[in-house]
Amino acid sequence: MLAAGGGRDAAGRALAKVLGEVAACASVPEGAAFSAKLNRAAYTVGGLVAGGHLSADAAEQALRDAAEQARPGQERRYDAIIRSGLNAGRLRPLSPGGRA
């Protein structure tokens, strides 16, 4: 999933952090800021994809998996958030440690 190169560890850490925040919403049925956390994760992942650090398909699947774990059965809701966040993030490529 990660592109080869020196940013591999930093990109992996960034991905794990944002996905972990989304997945943690599973323990709180309401009031966990799920939408905001998922949007932030999708934006970050979109930037990593645009920066060449993640593959688009694998990144999107990782976001969907985390969202489904946190909010099972809410595909319509989280698909819209993921799509919007990814699209916005792809406009701002990220380089681990700063903007590209």
Side-chain angles (χ1 to χ4, degrees):
M1 178 162 74
L2 294 174
R8 168 176 237 134
D9 292 333
R13 283 191 303 272
L15 179 64
K17 181 179 181 201
V18 296
L19 291 178
E21 290 175 6
V22 172
C25 292
S27 64
V28 182
E30 289 184 35
F34 169 75
S35 295
K37 289 176 182 177
L38 181 58
N39 186 58
R40 185 178 317 116
Y43 181 86
T44 300
V45 169
L48 291 170
V49 168
H53 303 286
L54 301 173
S55 77
D57 291 339
E60 189 170 340
Q61 188 59 55
L63 287 163
R64 283 202 167 99
D65 291 347
E68 180 62 24
Q69 177 186 349
R71 297 292 185 264
Q74 295 185 20
E75 293 88 5
R76 278 168 124 183
R77 175 183 178 196
Y78 64 70
D79 278 347
I81 296 167
I82 290 170
R83 189 171 36 256
S84 174
L86 280 174
N87 288 339
R90 285 183 181 132
L91 299 175
R92 301 281 312 237
L94 279 175
S95 179
R99 292 261 171 213

